[in-house]
């Protein structure tokens, strides 16, 4: 008997999906950058000027992530794998999708719980949740930095993302202002025949023939959508 393949879902998530876990978004009123200029903490120039400040900034982000827990939106996406072939492409550096149980998560902008040596970007090191300090080095001897993509840096995971999105049977975009490129360009690769669901209380405008906007919080809308899709498959 021929195996029937599961429908493919591609999820593109941003800071808004983790808002109800207590992690602040970037471009809402209480945005993360409020106390810091982006140029001071999240650029190669900032790292060259004041690496101690950059490490302290991300140490604080790491502690916040460790204190947070997945919310119903993350958990629902993990349940979706029961009947769908799910790829989560996230701009978030937290690990809440993984902790919720999602098995394929592509982090476009890095992972705060990992570090890398400045001279060995390909060797990722688990921080085990510890702060990074000046003087912490990788096995090759260079200063460790957070495994985070800064403004002005390349986004190596885009290559994989570019391959995944066009194969989707259904696209779900959750909690992203779609203001940051190249991540935002992925929406233009969504197949025109695939329904595209957008969950965001302040949804960015988007042009797609099968667009469905849910102007609600992720923890409300995503579980409802997921249960609906699972029920359709079970009919
Ligand atoms: N549920 C769903 N969406 C929400 C919620 C919520 N509870 N709360 C806020 N949002 C929405 C906002 O309306 C906004 O459209 O989440 C979006 C968050 O947008 P941004 O703060 O711009 O975050 P994001 O799109 O992930 O930013 C992209 O920018 O600073 C960089 O590298 C950083 O990965 C980040 C990238």
């Amino acid at each position: 008997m021929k195996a029937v393949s599961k429908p493919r879902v591609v999820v593109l998530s941003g800071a808004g999906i983790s808002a109800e876990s207590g992690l602040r978004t970037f471009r809402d009123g209480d945005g993360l950058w409020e106390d810091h200029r982006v140029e001071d903490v999240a650029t190669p120039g900032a790292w060259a000027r004041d690496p101690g400040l950059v490490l302290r900034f991300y140490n604080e982000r790491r502690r916040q992530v460790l204190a947070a827990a997945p919310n119903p939106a993350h958990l629902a996406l993990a349940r979706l794998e029961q009947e769908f072939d799910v790829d989560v492409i996230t701009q978030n550096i937290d690990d809440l999708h993984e902790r919720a149980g999602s098995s394929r998560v592509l982090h476009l902008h890095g992972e705060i719980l990992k570090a890398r040596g400045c001279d060995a970007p390909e060797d990722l090191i688990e921080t085990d949740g510890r702060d990074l300090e000046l003087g912490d080095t990788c096995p090759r001897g260079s200063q460790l930095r957070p495994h985070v993509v800064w403004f002005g840096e390349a986004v190596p995971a885009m290559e994989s993302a570019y391959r995944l999105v066009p194969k989707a049977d259904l696209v779900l975009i959750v909690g992203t202002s779609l203001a940051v490129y190249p991540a935002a360009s992925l929406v233009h690769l969504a197949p025109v025949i695939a329904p595209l669901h957008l969950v965001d209380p302040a949804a960015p405008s988007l042009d797609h023939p099968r667009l469905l906007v849910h102007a609600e919080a992720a923890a409300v809308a995503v579980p409802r959508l997921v249960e609906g899709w699972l029920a359709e498959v079970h009919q």
Side-chain angles (χ1 to χ4, degrees):
M1 206 163 67
K2 201 175 156 203
V4 180
S5 59
K6 293 175 173 178
R8 300 180 69 123
V9 179
V10 170
V11 180
L12 181 59
S13 71
I17 198 169
S18 296
E20 285 146 293
S21 296
L23 301 178
R24 293 158 83 185
T25 60
F26 298 93
R27 290 173 188 80
D28 288 325
D30 62 351
L32 175 68
W33 308 110
E34 220 172 51
D35 306 330
H36 294 276
R37 296 186 316 145
V38 171
E39 312 85 81
D40 291 340
V41 289
T43 62
W47 179 247
R49 273 192 307 278
D50 192 345
L53 172 66
V54 174
L55 290 177
R56 285 196 299 281
F57 176 78
Y58 284 103
N59 286 343
E60 184 55 31
R61 307 278 80 73
R62 192 178 302 103
R63 288 185 211 139
Q64 288 172 351
V65 166
L66 291 170
N71 68 53
H74 300 103
L75 294 165
L77 292 178
R79 281 201 302 284
L80 195 59
E81 293 185 14
Q82 291 166 11
E83 301 294 347
F84 291 81
D85 196 3
V86 183
D87 281 286
V88 177
I89 302 173
T90 188
Q91 294 167 85
N92 299 343
I93 58 174
D94 66 53
D95 66 339
L96 297 182
H97 284 299
E98 287 91 340
R99 274 196 265 155
S102 283
S103 50
R104 291 209 303 267
V105 184
L106 182 65
H107 286 270
L108 295 178
H109 295 162
E111 296 170 76
I112 188 66
L113 296 179
K114 294 183 179 164
R116 52 182 148 102
C118 294
D119 301 334
E122 61 288 354
D123 297 340
L124 297 185
I125 294 164
E126 298 290 341
T127 62
D128 296 323
R130 283 193 298 273
D131 285 356
L132 294 180
E133 311 288 354
L134 285 177
D136 290 345
T137 52
C138 74
R140 296 198 210 180
S142 75
Q143 172 66 44
L144 285 180
R145 58 166 274 184
H147 175 51
V148 168
V149 175
W150 289 324
F151 286 94
E153 292 189 313
V155 186
M158 284 303 290
E159 290 306 317
S160 303
Y162 285 138
R163 281 194 291 275
L164 288 172
V165 179
K167 294 183 191 152
D169 297 307
L170 191 159
V171 177
L172 172 61
I173 301 178
V174 191
T176 171
S177 61
L178 296 174
V180 171
Y181 283 79
S185 67
L186 289 170
V187 299
H188 304 302
L189 299 181
V192 288
I193 55 165
L196 190 160
H197 292 261
L198 178 57
V199 174
D200 193 317
S205 67
L206 199 57
D207 193 19
H208 186 278
R210 299 197 63 190
L211 177 67
L212 293 140
V213 177
H214 311 274
E216 295 168 88
V220 174
V222 175
R224 187 185 66 240
L225 289 170
V226 165
E227 295 318 323
W229 296 332
L230 289 174
E232 269 177 40
V233 172
H234 292 147
Q235 266 176 8

